[in-house]
Amino acid sequence: MSGRTFRGAPLLAALLWGPAVGASEPPCRAEVILEPELAFVEQQVVYRLRILRAEEVTDVRWIDPPSFHSFRAEWLPGRSPDPGIETRGEHRLVFEERRALFPVRPGRLATPRARMACRMGGDDRREVDFQIPSAALEVAPPPEPGRPADWSGLVGRVEVRSTVPTRRVALGDSVALGVSIWGGANVWRAAPPLGDPPGIEGAEVFAERPILTLESGTRLVGRRSFRFDVVPRRAGQLVIPEVRVPYFDPRTGGYAVAIAPPIELSVAVRSDAPAASEAAAPAALPAADRSDGNRGFVAAALLALLAVVAWVVRRRLGKDASSSPAAALLEEAERARARGDRAAETAFLARALRLELGRGAMHDPEARSLLEALDAERFGAVPAEGIDAERLREVLCRRADRAS
C-alpha cells in the first residue's frame, strides 16, 4: 500500500500556499504531510512538517509544540532545503520537522494542531505566530485471516540474525548467543526469541535484558538485541533452534516470517575432565559417590561460595536482600545442601551468581572464569577444586566496591 502525496493537487496547493499573487503574504507558512495517509495500527508513518519563511525572517520557534496523544512518536532528522519547493513564490524552505509516528489504535486519527512564531530581522524585530495545521490519518487493524498464532504484533518488514562467537565449546564452558531483530517496524514488540523463560534442549540458558536501539534517518530503523549465555549439559552436538519472527507487511497486506537458521555447536569433553567411565553425569551424582577428602573440600568450597555471594547480595541490596530474587535462590541452595542434593545446590548457586553479577560479569575475565569453573563442576566432570574460594571472595568484594 502506498501513500498519496500532495504533488499535482492544484486546489489543495492553493489552500495551503494562500492568497493569489499580489496579496499580502504572511512571513511564515506551514503544511503537514503524512506518508502514507492510510495505515495499519502500529505501522510507521512519517510526519513531515514543512516550514517556509520570507527572507526577512531570522528565526522560527515553537509556541505550543505538538503532542501526539494517539501515536508513539520518535524524532527523525529534519531536511533542508527541498529543491521541489524552495523557489515557490517569495518563500523558501527553512526546515522540515519530521517524526516517525506509530498509531496505537484504529479509526480516523488526527495529528495535533500547534503554533509557532517567526521573528523578523533588521529594524522590524517583531514576532508573528502562525498555525501548524492538523492532518488526518485513516488507521485499520491488521487483518485476522492468515495471522500466525505466534505473531507478537510486529507491523512492518523485519530481519533477524542469530550469531555465536564460536561453533566449538568445551563441556562446562558457556557460549554467548546473540539474536538481533531489526527493521522499520515496531521492533519493541518482538517476543523473546527462545521463549520466556528461554530454553534450548540439552543446555541451560541465561538471558540478559534485551537492548532497544533506534536509528534515525529517512525513516526510523529499530533494532532489538537479545543476548543469552548458553551452557551445554552434555558432550556431542548442541543445536540452537531457528528463530522465527512473524510480522505483518503493510506493502503486501499479508503476514510473513523472518527466519534465522539453526546453529550447530560441537561440545567436547574438557581435557582436564575424568574419562566418561570414571564419572558419568557427575552433576547428578550424590555426595556419597565421591571420596571423603574430595567431598570435604567440595563442601567447604561451595559453602564459601554461598557465603560470599550472600554477602554481596546483602551489601548491594541492603535490608531488603531477603526479598530479592538472588537471595531466594541462595536460600534454595542452602536447602538443597542440607538435604545432600549437590546438583540442585550448584544449579541454584550458578543462577544466583549470574543474576547478581548481571551483564558486567560477562566482561570481567576473573568473574567469567569463576562462572565457568562452577559450570564445569556441574556439567563438565571437573572436580570442584577449580573453585578458589579466596579468589572468589576477592573478585566479588572488588565488584561490590565498584557497585556501591
Side-chain angles (χ1 to χ4, degrees), residues 35 44 46-50 73-82 93-101 214-221:
E35 297 176 345
Q44 181 174 173
V46 177
Y47 171 92
R48 300 170 60 190
L49 167 59
R50 286 175 171 175
E74 299 289 346
W75 178 85
L76 293 175
R79 295 186 300 180
S80 177
D82 182 343
L93 182 67
V94 174
F95 191 69
E96 186 174 87
E97 184 85 359
R98 301 168 70 244
R99 297 286 190 277
L101 303 182
L214 301 176
E215 302 171 7
S216 299
T218 305
R219 295 175 62 84
L220 188 74
V221 176

Side-chain angles (χ1 to χ4, degrees), residues 242-271:
E242 71 175 12
V243 176
R244 297 171 53 85
V245 183
Y247 64 90
F248 175 72
D249 189 346
R251 294 183 180 180
T252 63
Y255 292 89
V257 180
I259 298 177
I263 299 175
E264 291 189 5
L265 301 179
S266 177
V267 183
V269 177
R270 296 170 63 107
S271 59

Side-chain angles (χ1 to χ4, degrees), residues 181-213:
I181 302 170
W182 74 93
N186 52 335
V187 295
W188 46 86
R189 291 285 302 271
L194 298 179
D196 188 14
I200 296 176
E201 184 178 357
E204 282 201 355
V205 183
F206 301 91
E208 297 182 5
R209 181 174 297 178
I211 298 174
L212 176 66
T213 56

Side-chain angles (χ1 to χ4, degrees), residues 80 87 90 94 98 104 113 121 173 178 191 244 279 307 319 326 329 341 350 360 390:
S80 177
T87 58
E90 297 181 355
V94 174
R98 301 168 70 244
V104 298
R113 294 180 178 272
D173 290 348
R244 297 171 53 85
K319 295 181 180 180
L329 290 170
D341 187 347
E390 287 303 317

